[in-house]
Amino acid sequence: MAEGGPYTRIAVVTGAARGVGAAVARRLALRGMRVALLGRELDSLRQVAAGLPTEAHCFEVDVTDEAALQGAARSVDARLGPASVVIANAGIAAAGPFATCEASLFDRVVEVNLIGSANTARVFLPQLARTGGYFLQVASTAAFGSAPMMSAYCASKAGVESFAQALRTEVRPAGVGVGIAYLHWTGTDMIAALDDHPVLRALRSHQPAPARRVHSPEQVAGWLVRGVERRAVSVYAPPWLRLVQPLRPVLPLVVSAVARRSLSALPSEELQRTTGVLGAGGAADLRARGAVPPVPPVTPPQT
């Protein structure tokens, strides 16, 4: 990845203001790649860029705004050259019961995680086709076995997995590789907020000790970048997750059984408590969007 002409040396990372995105950008830069950092918080992106050893450009953009993302893609091409690596990492999460979660928040999680990833692929695919590049979709073990109180996040991560699998076959004739990264517990502010939720904390406590271990963003970034170097079809963070793949048909049953025990042991007021958006990244997205007015009800035609 560090050899060759300029077409092999440009990386784009979404959600690069903090956490895994920022750590991946640092790892790629240490391997000699110039980096485009995309995210909602320009000041944080600039702080990340200032610590990189190679040329980096920052673009404040909402991945759900396709027109703005198209503009960012054109700017990346003009300033750095066509991307040879694109990592669709931007994502947010919300926790709480589906019945009490605001529809706008549920929709936003799906929009950022799934539609935002599709937008990212759409606007950068022409560049990747020119460079014979590689697109890495960041998914999650939430796609393995959906956890209660995380319905929007689990649905979106299952969605991006299916999206990337379909995309892989479509773009292979153009010489573009597509990988899926499965992340487990990673030490970001999103996970710290998730552990404050009693149901989700109980679910995690029932996992085997190795599965409860929290890995640092830097360690996860190392696994992801090694996957980029290999143009891997699947990247597991941690690597032992590949052993779980054959068990996926039974994982939803296991998660459901553990969840039922955890839910039954909690008072009803705890079950009704809605945590809302998790982590600083999700909070930044909500601040950037501002207050969203409720959609007025539509009266259907009367016949």
Side-chain angles (χ1 to χ4, degrees), residues 171-190:
V171 301
R172 183 174 295 161
V176 177
V178 175
I180 304 170
Y182 297 97
L183 275 59
H184 198 44
W185 299 110
T186 305
T188 65
D189 50 18
M190 184 186 296

Side-chain angles (χ1 to χ4, degrees), residues 28-247:
L28 293 171
L30 287 170
R31 283 159 171 75
M33 299 194 78
R34 292 177 287 161
V35 184
L37 308 172
L38 277 61
R40 297 302 302 266
E41 302 164 89
L42 186 58
D43 288 343
S44 297
L45 292 172
R46 286 172 172 165
Q47 291 175 14
V48 174
L52 301 183
T54 57
E55 182 182 2
H57 291 261
C58 302
F59 301 89
E60 184 176 17
V61 64
D62 177 357
V63 293
T64 70
D65 184 342
E66 186 180 349
L69 201 55
Q70 287 280 10
R74 289 192 295 269
S75 294
V76 169
D77 198 356
R79 298 184 193 181
L80 293 165
S84 53
V85 172
V86 175
I87 299 179
N89 167 74
I92 61 174
F98 172 76
T100 58
C101 177
E102 292 184 8
S104 60
L105 179 56
F106 185 98
D107 293 351
R108 184 60 182 171
V109 172
V110 174
E111 186 181 23
V112 172
N113 297 358
L114 177 55
I115 305 303
S117 293
N119 287 342
T120 301
R122 184 178 295 111
V123 304
F124 283 104
L125 273 177
Q127 296 182 32
L128 293 175
R130 289 161 58 192
T131 61
Y134 176 76
F135 179 83
L136 180 62
Q137 174 64 62
V138 174
S140 167
T141 52
F144 288 11
S146 299
M149 307 293 172
M150 293 287 288
S151 56
Y153 183 77
C154 292
S156 67
K157 289 302 183 180
V160 297
E161 179 189 36
S162 292
F163 163 70
Q165 288 171 342
L167 181 67
R168 178 184 297 138
T169 302
E170 294 180 21
V171 301
R172 183 174 295 161
V176 177
V178 175
I180 304 170
Y182 297 97
L183 275 59
H184 198 44
W185 299 110
T186 305
T188 65
D189 50 18
M190 184 186 296
I191 296 302
L194 188 148
D195 271 350
D196 290 335
H197 196 286
V199 175
L200 298 170
R201 185 172 62 246
L203 286 173
R204 183 168 169 233
S205 70
H206 283 83
Q207 293 180 336
R212 293 198 304 268
R213 186 174 303 155
V214 176
H215 301 276
S216 70
E218 289 72 23
Q219 189 173 19
V220 170
W223 289 320
L224 266 57
V225 170
R226 282 197 289 275
V228 171
E229 292 173 330
R230 301 193 311 271
R231 294 171 64 94
V233 169
S234 300
V235 182
Y236 297 95
W240 61 259
L241 281 174
R242 71 177 62 252
L243 303 177
V244 179
Q245 280 282 19
L247 304 176

Side-chain angles (χ1 to χ4, degrees), residues 144-148 203 206-208 244 247-262:
F144 288 11
S146 299
L203 286 173
H206 283 83
Q207 293 180 336
V244 179
L247 304 176
R248 286 186 62 170
V250 302
L251 285 179
L253 299 176
V254 173
V255 172
S256 178
V258 173
R260 284 197 301 270
R261 289 198 299 270
S262 301

